[in-house]
Amino acid sequence: MKIMIACDSFKGSLSSYEVADYIKKGAMKVFPHSKFEVIVMADGGEGTVDAMISSIGGHIETVTVKNPLYQDIEASYGILKDNSAIIEMAAASGLPLVEKNKDIYKSSTFGTGQLIKAALDYGCQTIYIGIGGSATNDGGIGMASALGVKFLDRDKKEVPIEAYSLPLIEYIDMSDLDPRIHHTQIIVMCDVDNPLCGKNGASAIYGPQKGATSEQVTYLDQGLNKLARVCKKTGLKDASDIPGAGAAGGLGFGLITFLNAQLSAGIDVVLNANHFKDKLDNADLIITGEGRIDYQSIHGKVPTGVAKMAKQKSKPVIAVVGCIGKDASLVYDYGIDSIESCVYAPCTLEEALSKAGENVENATERILRSIQIGMNM
């Protein structure tokens, strides 16, 4: 049997590499003579830099940038062998960087702008940006500010570059935007389709998980709406209703509006970089997975992205996952044939994470033994 393993990382416990290694160990207990091909996967969130470097080749660069609360940190990004750059915005503006000190009003994407500038300084003319895992809700004004855009109040004085300032913005000065942006292709890897504002917008859907109260959600939503109106008044592209504009607290909107970026499904970018469709020809079984599979998994996540492409070539797909959430059965309509959860008995989250590798290995063995029964019937 030829088995292809193409999994996302299990957030908080295992990288994509590690998940694949434990799946391989479990599979070999059942089919010891199988051949394996491991493809490192990501969808624009954590692990995207590793996935792209693994696919294309390249190296890591590290620079000093500001975290969401303007503290100096070291952040890394990738330089691919074709001299394009791959950035994870979470490296500079991610929620784990401020997990113990959340302040959504003060949080800024300024550090993400610094990473873009670093890539420009390196000479990159194509920049991929994964925008999963943000701590921010500033509509991308921090990112734009780091690249020279000025945001002014009614007195034409610069406002503090933070989400709390959004309702104060009356003018936008693009004259000092880094001119290299005009000659750079920026491809945003996005796995959500939320608009900028409203009940399905950045603030309402993602604000609470970043620490926002209901009052703050209302304030921030109104602030992003104001930003969109000022952008339109300034003559910039009206991107507020584009699917994905609300990603990363409106960073999707900011990248389109200020940098003329293109939004793409992150999983599609990674699959194409891996020449995944061509590699399917040599596979008998595809094993994919993620930390939690549920109704959200059909929206650009790794397992369904892998499965949809695999089904184009009639390949069977199973998913080994950390846990199974609400309405996970929806993924069966997107090409996944079966799901196996790593959690097999009641336990705490800490217990599950501490045995993550062992649980992945055992879950893989269980589901492949079921496949073995079917093969022998």
Side-chain angles (χ1 to χ4, degrees):
M1 182 179 291
K2 297 175 182 176
I3 299 175
M4 177 183 288
I5 304 173
C7 290
D8 201 354
S9 61
F10 282 23
K11 192 172 182 178
S13 57
L14 300 171
S15 69
S16 178
Y17 288 107
E18 292 168 330
V19 174
D21 188 53
Y22 284 110
I23 286 175
K24 184 176 178 180
K25 289 178 180 177
M28 290 185 69
K29 291 179 179 179
V30 185
F31 299 110
H33 303 298
S34 293
K35 295 181 180 179
F36 296 89
E37 181 168 12
V38 173
I39 300 178
V40 179
M41 295 302 304
D43 56 19
E46 180 183 5
T48 299
V49 169
D50 286 342
M52 292 289 280
I53 288 178
S54 173
S55 306
I56 298 174
H59 68 276
I60 295 292
E61 290 284 319
T62 301
V63 292
T64 301
V65 300
K66 300 293 184 183
N67 78 358
L69 298 179
Y70 285 94
Q71 299 160 331
D72 285 340
I73 59 167
E74 297 294 302
S76 297
Y77 67 101
I79 297 293
L80 304 177
K81 70 177 183 181
D82 61 1
N83 206 44
S84 58
I86 173 68
I87 292 170
E88 291 176 27
M89 71 86 66
S93 311
L95 191 58
L97 299 174
V98 293
E99 192 67 59
K100 296 180 181 179
N101 188 24
K102 294 177 184 175
D103 190 342
I104 197 164
Y105 276 165
K106 295 287 185 183
S107 294
S108 168
T109 53
F110 190 86
T112 297
Q114 290 178 298
L115 285 177
I116 295 172
K117 186 177 184 302
L120 293 172
D121 291 343
Y122 196 90
C124 300
Q125 293 187 322
T126 298
I127 301 175
Y128 298 93
I129 305 177
I131 59 174
S134 76
T136 55
N137 205 100
D138 71 351
I141 65 170
M143 173 278 302
S145 175
L147 293 165
V149 180
K150 294 184 175 64
F151 298 91
L152 313 172
D153 63 17
R154 63 184 181 183
D155 298 320
K156 296 194 175 181
K157 294 180 179 179
E158 290 190 53
V159 301
I161 302 301
E162 57 190 36
Y164 190 78
S165 296
L166 289 170
L168 306 178
I169 296 171
E170 295 291 344
Y171 303 97
I172 299 172
D173 181 356
M174 298 282 292
S175 60
D176 289 332
L177 174 67
D178 192 317
R180 295 173 294 182
I181 290 295
H182 301 302
H183 309 290
T184 304
Q185 182 183 32
I186 297 177
I187 300 168
V188 182
M189 303 169 70
C190 177
D191 65 356
V192 302
D193 55 7
N194 305 81
L196 182 65
C197 304
K199 64 180 181 179
N200 293 316
S203 307
I205 299 299
Y206 303 109
Q209 60 192 240
K210 301 171 188 179
T213 64
S214 58
E215 292 81 6
Q216 288 176 320
V217 165
T218 300
Y219 181 92
L220 291 166
D221 188 60
Q222 292 172 347
L224 290 174
N225 200 301
K226 173 70 175 298
L227 175 65
R229 294 200 309 271
V230 176
C231 286
K232 188 175 182 180
K233 181 181 72 175
T234 306
L236 298 171
K237 185 174 182 177
D238 184 5
S240 58
D241 291 329
I242 292 177
L251 179 61
F253 168 85
L255 288 164
I256 298 169
T257 302
F258 304 120
L259 307 190
N260 196 33
Q262 304 168 345
L263 259 61
S264 299
I267 180 61
D268 291 343
V269 174
V270 176
L271 287 171
N272 291 333
N274 275 292
H275 304 288
F276 184 77
K277 186 180 287 188
D278 295 335
K279 293 177 180 178
L280 285 167
D281 291 333
N282 298 318
D284 298 310
L285 174 67
I286 317 300
I287 304 179
T288 186
E290 62 182 337
R292 177 185 180 88
I293 198 165
D294 58 21
Y295 67 95
Q296 298 181 83
S297 299
I298 65 175
H299 298 294
K301 301 296 185 181
V302 166
T304 51
V306 165
K308 283 192 288 185
M309 193 168 283
K311 285 306 170 185
Q312 294 176 20
K313 297 200 174 183
S314 302
K315 301 293 183 177
V317 181
I318 60 176
V320 176
V321 301
C323 66
I324 301 173
K326 182 180 179 182
D327 294 331
S329 60
L330 290 172
V331 303
Y332 297 139
D333 294 328
Y334 290 78
I336 292 177
D337 296 298
S338 187
I339 306 170
E340 183 71 22
S341 173
C342 293
V343 178
Y344 60 90
C347 65
T348 65
L349 176 61
E350 290 73 19
E351 289 170 336
L353 294 177
S354 69
K355 297 181 179 180
E358 178 184 337
N359 290 342
V360 170
E361 182 177 334
N362 292 338
T364 305
E365 180 183 0
R366 287 195 301 273
I367 195 166
L368 290 192
R369 287 194 180 279
S370 297
I371 289 174
Q372 188 179 53
I373 291 173
M375 292 170 67
N376 292 333
M377 287 178 68

